[in-house]
Amino acid sequence: MSGRRWLRRLLPASLVLILAVFPASRAAAAPCTGVNCYRYYADITITAWTDPSIPVFPGSTHYYTVRVTNTGWRTGGASVPTPGLGPDSGDVYVVFQPSSPEEYPVARADYTGYAFTGAPFRCYGYLGNGLVCHTESIPNGTTSQFTVAFQAPRTVGSHTLTTYADTYGWTEYDENNNSLTLTYQVGYLA
């Protein structure tokens, strides 16, 4: 009998000790308030170009170059939002959507593009006659640049292509700088 009393006293004492060493869950962080409270965000900015000054020969290959930059932002405290060191981005998708059904990517379905710098974008999916490229993350303060090839329409005239960055799965500071439309001419050299 005396052995059981000892065990009954030891068991509750050991449980209290275990619970004191290993808390059940993390304590909630205090709310962020005051002049020293800041939040940091990633923000994707996209720029792109093609040469609109020289007409593209009908049906020939032409190129789009895209730069995708992760500019960090700091908000809060006693100041207005300012560019600042932020986190690396999450997944970034760049989509190319030509306005003409005659224009389409000139590449196999799994290529990296040409002359990329920074985080590599893999272009692997087609969206109608457009193209989808992807990278897992762009470090803060860096720019990734890559070029893709498309076959120009056979119809002479002015054509457009819309390109945009999609930041699916994470929140960025400003999504209003993620798209643009490029215009180029298809024609014959005089």
Side-chain angles (χ1 to χ4, degrees), residues 53-134:
S53 62
I54 300 173
V56 176
F57 191 77
S60 68
T61 300
H62 68 118
Y63 301 92
Y64 296 104
T65 300
V66 176
R67 279 189 186 156
V68 184
T69 302
N70 178 2
T71 306
W73 281 87
R74 183 183 81 174
T75 64
S79 63
V80 297
T82 57
L85 191 58
D88 294 351
S89 76
D91 289 327
V92 177
Y93 297 87
V94 174
V95 179
F96 298 88
Q97 290 185 313
S99 63
S100 171
E102 298 176 354
E103 183 177 12
Y104 55 87
V106 178
R108 62 187 191 279
D110 185 21
Y111 81 110
T112 305
Y114 305 100
F116 66 87
T117 60
F121 273 83
R122 305 266 313 152
C123 302
Y124 60 88
Y126 295 100
L127 182 63
N129 61 320
L131 184 65
V132 177
C133 303
H134 168 261

Side-chain angles (χ1 to χ4, degrees), residues 133-145:
C133 303
H134 168 261
T135 191
E136 291 180 5
S137 180
I138 299 176
N140 179 263
T142 64
T143 298
S144 293
Q145 177 177 316

Side-chain angles (χ1 to χ4, degrees), residues 17 23 25 29 40 79 129 165 177-178:
L17 181 61
S25 64
Y40 296 89
S79 63
N129 61 320
N177 54 6
N178 289 6

